[in-house]
Amino acid sequence: MQVDYPDRDPPADRIEVAAYYVVSEALTNTIKHAGASSSQLVVEQRDALLHLSIRDDGIGGADTARGSGLIGLRDRVQALGGSIEISSPRGSGTAILVMLPLQPNRPLDQTENTP
C-alpha cells in the first residue's frame, strides 16, 4: 500500500468517511470477486482534492449495472461533489479512480486549481 498524504488540510469528516467506504468496498470486491493476486491502493492530496486509486490484477468484468456495491460507491462520491471512474475490462483487472473535494461543499470544478 502506498499513502502520500501531507499533514496539512485534512479532509472534512464526511470526505474521510466516504474515502474509507470507497476503499473498503473496492478491496472487499477484490477479495470476493476478482480472483486477484495483488491490489494497489494510492491515496494522495493534490491541491484541494483527495485522490484515491484502487487497482487489482484480477479477472475484471466489474459492472455498475449488475452490482449494488459499485452503484453505492458512485452515488456516495457524486453526492459529495466528487467523481469516480471504473475501468474493468474482462481479463485485465479493475481500476477505480476517485476524486473528492477536501470540503464537500466545493464541487470539483471549483477545487481543481486551488492552491
Side-chain angles (χ1 to χ4, degrees):
M1 181 178 344
Q2 172 188 344
V3 177
D4 178 13
Y5 197 82
D7 290 333
R8 60 179 166 74
D9 299 326
D13 289 344
R14 293 187 316 172
I15 299 300
E16 194 171 298
V17 168
Y20 174 84
Y21 178 80
V22 166
V23 170
S24 177
E25 180 70 19
L27 293 177
T28 296
N29 285 348
T30 296
I31 292 166
K32 289 172 76 173
H33 306 295
S37 63
S38 69
S39 60
Q40 178 188 37
L41 167 64
V42 178
V43 179
E44 299 177 299
Q45 178 186 334
R46 291 188 232 145
D47 299 321
L49 297 174
L50 182 64
H51 292 253
L52 306 172
S53 171
I54 307 103
R55 300 172 185 268
D56 68 53
D57 64 353
I59 62 171
D63 184 359
T64 56
R66 294 183 318 167
S68 60
L70 293 176
I71 293 169
L73 290 184
R74 184 190 64 216
D75 291 347
R76 183 178 292 251
V77 167
Q78 290 176 347
L80 294 169
S83 69
I84 184 169
E85 294 177 29
I86 301 170
S87 174
S88 189
R90 291 205 179 278
S92 297
T94 298
I96 300 175
L97 307 173
V98 174
M99 289 191 308
L100 291 164
L102 292 177
Q103 300 302 317
N105 56 345
R106 297 182 66 188
L108 292 183
D109 60 352
Q110 294 178 5
T111 59
E112 289 180 11
N113 296 316
T114 303

